[in-house]
Amino acid sequence: MIAYVQGIIEDISEDNVVVDVNGIGYNVRISADTASRLPGEGESVRLYTYTLVREDAFLLYGFLARNDLDIFKKCITVNGIGPKGALAILSVMDADSLRYAIMAGDTKAISRAPGIGARTAERLILDLKDKIKIDDVLIGKEIAATATAHVADTPQKKEAVEALVSLGYGQTESVKAVNAIEGIENMDSGAVLKAALKKMF
C-alpha cells in the first residue's frame, strides 16, 4: 500500500519514529537496530514500509533499506512470527546477520530475540533456508562461501569453530571470528582457536 515515507524526523524512540511528511506525522514502527542507524531529529529520512491493516489498527513498519524490509517480510510468513516477533529478531541482529544465521542454521543467535524460543528459531530456519540466496548476504565473499557449506572450509577451521561453540559461543559469531584470521593455512587448530578467541574480545 505505502511503499515508503519520506520526510523530517520529529521524534525517535527505541521502537517508533515519527516522520513529518508535509505536515502529517506518521508513526512508523522500527527495530532497535534501525533506531540506532537513523539520523537525528530534524533530519530528513526515507523509510521503506510494510503496511499492516487490522480492524482496530493501521500500522506502518519502516526500514532504512529495501534489503531490510525484504527479510522482515520473509520472517512474518513463518507461523508463530508476526511483525512484533520479526522486529524483535531484527533488534538483536541486522538483516545480513539474520540471513547468515539462517543459512548457518544458528538457532542460538536467532533465539536471543525476546519472545523467540529455540523451537520458533528452528521453524524460521527451516521455512526460510531455501528462500535465502547467498547473493543476498552482504557480509563479504569469504564469509558467504562459508555460509554455503554451513561450516568452516578446512579441518583446522572446523575444529576451532566446534571448540568455540562448545565454549558457549554461537555458530554464526564463531565462524565469523575464525574466517577473520589471517594466515590461517599455516596454523594448527589450537593456534586458530587462540586467535579466534582474541577476535571475540
Side-chain angles (χ1 to χ4, degrees), residues 17-78:
V17 60
V18 179
V19 181
D20 182 335
V21 182
N22 297 323
I24 300 175
Y26 289 87
N27 276 310
V28 184
R29 305 289 178 93
I30 55 174
S31 69
D33 178 68
T34 297
S36 70
R37 294 187 287 124
L38 286 173
E41 292 180 11
E43 299 291 326
S44 178
V45 70
R46 172 183 285 193
L47 292 171
Y48 297 94
T49 55
Y50 172 81
T51 308
L52 176 64
V53 180
R54 299 195 313 232
E55 288 185 4
D56 60 343
F58 184 97
L59 303 174
L60 288 175
Y61 295 84
F63 305 88
L64 287 168
R66 289 190 180 95
N67 195 37
D68 300 340
L69 174 60
D70 179 65
I71 192 65
F72 172 83
K73 288 164 75 174
K74 283 184 170 68
C75 285
I76 62 177
T77 65
V78 178

Side-chain angles (χ1 to χ4, degrees), residues 61 72 75-76 80-91 110 113-116:
Y61 295 84
F72 172 83
C75 285
I76 62 177
I81 300 180
K84 184 178 180 180
L87 277 191
I89 295 170
L90 290 169
S91 288
I110 296 170
I116 304 297

Side-chain angles (χ1 to χ4, degrees), residues 37-196:
R37 294 187 287 124
L38 286 173
E41 292 180 11
E43 299 291 326
S44 178
V45 70
R46 172 183 285 193
L47 292 171
Y48 297 94
T49 55
Y50 172 81
T51 308
L52 176 64
V53 180
R54 299 195 313 232
E55 288 185 4
D56 60 343
F58 184 97
L59 303 174
L60 288 175
Y61 295 84
F63 305 88
L64 287 168
R66 289 190 180 95
N67 195 37
D68 300 340
L69 174 60
D70 179 65
I71 192 65
F72 172 83
K73 288 164 75 174
K74 283 184 170 68
C75 285
I76 62 177
T77 65
V78 178
N79 186 32
I81 300 180
K84 184 178 180 180
L87 277 191
I89 295 170
L90 290 169
S91 288
V92 298
M93 60 174 59
D94 62 29
D96 287 334
S97 295
L98 175 55
R99 287 185 176 89
Y100 182 69
I102 290 168
M103 297 184 74
D106 193 349
T107 58
K108 188 173 182 179
I110 296 170
S111 61
R112 285 203 302 260
I116 304 297
R119 287 186 179 180
T120 303
E122 288 172 2
R123 189 182 306 122
L124 177 76
I125 290 168
L126 183 64
D127 286 3
L128 299 187
K129 210 164 194 176
D130 294 335
K131 298 177 182 178
I132 302 294
K133 298 178 181 178
I134 195 65
D135 292 341
D136 294 334
V137 186
L138 308 177
I139 53 177
K141 292 182 179 178
E142 185 174 355
I143 294 176
T146 303
T148 303
H150 310 305
V151 295
D153 56 5
T154 65
Q156 64 265 43
K157 285 185 181 182
K158 184 176 180 180
E159 289 176 17
V161 169
E162 289 174 349
L164 289 168
V165 171
S166 71
L167 290 172
Y169 295 101
Q171 183 170 324
T172 302
E173 59 185 338
S174 298
V175 175
K176 284 183 179 181
V178 168
N179 277 282
I181 300 168
E182 296 181 1
I184 201 168
E185 60 277 357
N186 299 317
M187 302 164 66
D188 61 25
S189 57
V192 174
L193 176 59
K194 289 180 182 178

